[in-house]
Amino acid sequence: LPVYTQDPQAFYYPILGDLVANHSKVMQEYDVVVPDNTPVNDLDEVVAEMQHAVLLLFQGSNFTSYTNVHMIEACRVSRSLLPKLPAQVQTQLIRRLWQAVLYNFAIQSRPQVGSTAVGEATRSWDAIVAGAFAQGDTHLHNLVWSGVAESKRSTGDAALYQAAADKALALFEAGGKWNF
């Protein structure tokens, strides 16, 4: 895959067009393979792995990518929707979700992926929630909401979510803003 030097926000659609027109065969090699009859619990695990990958991409952006925040929320919502969908739609959703993650990874010029050693959050969820709502950014609110929801699921990523929300909040408190 090429490494794009253009601003991914300003050139999103031209880059996406190039990926589709010239690199879709390569992108297909990375498609997730899930048979239509896969049990919903197994599909939930697949999406949880996607969610973990996107959290690591978010970490790799130094917790500044609002595109990754959208992908994190898409994974969380997909996990909530899976049990309510017909089996064929479940697998179709997962395939399209993974394509969205892959294409956005490529559009962002394959950024460095973080490691699981993110460190601990310095604040409790209550403090993070209060701090986030003192900020006016809805992307930050979504990230915090996703983190709180996932921490209630007792997933393995609960600490990573909390640290990510804490660091994203610190970005805004310091006067920073999201990158693409």
Side-chain angles (χ1 to χ4, degrees):
L1 289 176
V3 174
Y4 297 100
T5 57
Q6 303 100 326
D7 175 6
Q9 185 172 3
F11 292 92
Y12 182 88
Y13 289 106
I15 294 171
L16 177 61
D18 179 65
L19 282 169
V20 171
N22 301 311
H23 306 286
S24 60
K25 292 283 186 202
V26 173
M27 296 297 282
Q28 287 176 355
E29 293 175 21
Y30 297 96
D31 279 350
V32 65
V33 178
V34 286
D36 285 339
N37 59 352
T38 303
V40 71
N41 289 341
D42 293 346
L43 296 175
D44 185 71
E45 289 179 27
V46 171
V47 179
E49 290 177 22
M50 288 182 199
Q51 197 169 16
H52 180 77
V54 176
L55 277 165
L56 295 179
L57 284 172
F58 186 56
Q59 179 187 356
S61 77
N62 200 27
F63 307 101
T64 65
S65 170
Y66 73 78
T67 301
N68 291 328
V69 171
H70 285 287
M71 295 288 110
I72 291 165
E73 181 67 5
C75 289
R76 186 191 70 76
V77 169
S78 295
R79 290 180 78 189
S80 297
L81 287 174
L82 279 173
K84 298 169 179 68
L85 299 172
Q88 185 178 359
V89 176
Q90 291 171 348
T91 54
Q92 197 172 35
L93 171 66
I94 288 176
R95 290 182 194 118
R96 297 302 169 258
L97 177 61
W98 184 241
Q99 286 175 336
V101 171
L102 282 177
Y103 272 83
N104 278 295
F105 176 72
I107 288 167
Q108 294 176 51
S109 294
R110 299 175 285 148
Q112 179 69 36
V113 177
S115 70
T116 54
V118 67
E120 293 184 16
T122 58
R123 293 177 262 205
S124 68
W125 273 120
D126 288 341
I128 294 169
V129 168
F133 284 105
Q135 305 295 320
D137 188 86
T138 57
H139 295 94
L140 180 60
H141 300 166
N142 284 341
L143 176 66
V144 170
W145 171 250
S146 290
V148 169
E150 287 303 307
S151 69
K152 290 178 181 176
R153 289 176 79 128
S154 299
T155 67
D157 283 335
L160 181 57
Y161 256 112
Q162 189 170 354
D166 190 26
K167 292 178 188 304
L169 174 57
L171 169 75
F172 278 87
E173 289 173 336
K177 61 181 184 171
W178 296 118
N179 292 320
F180 181 77

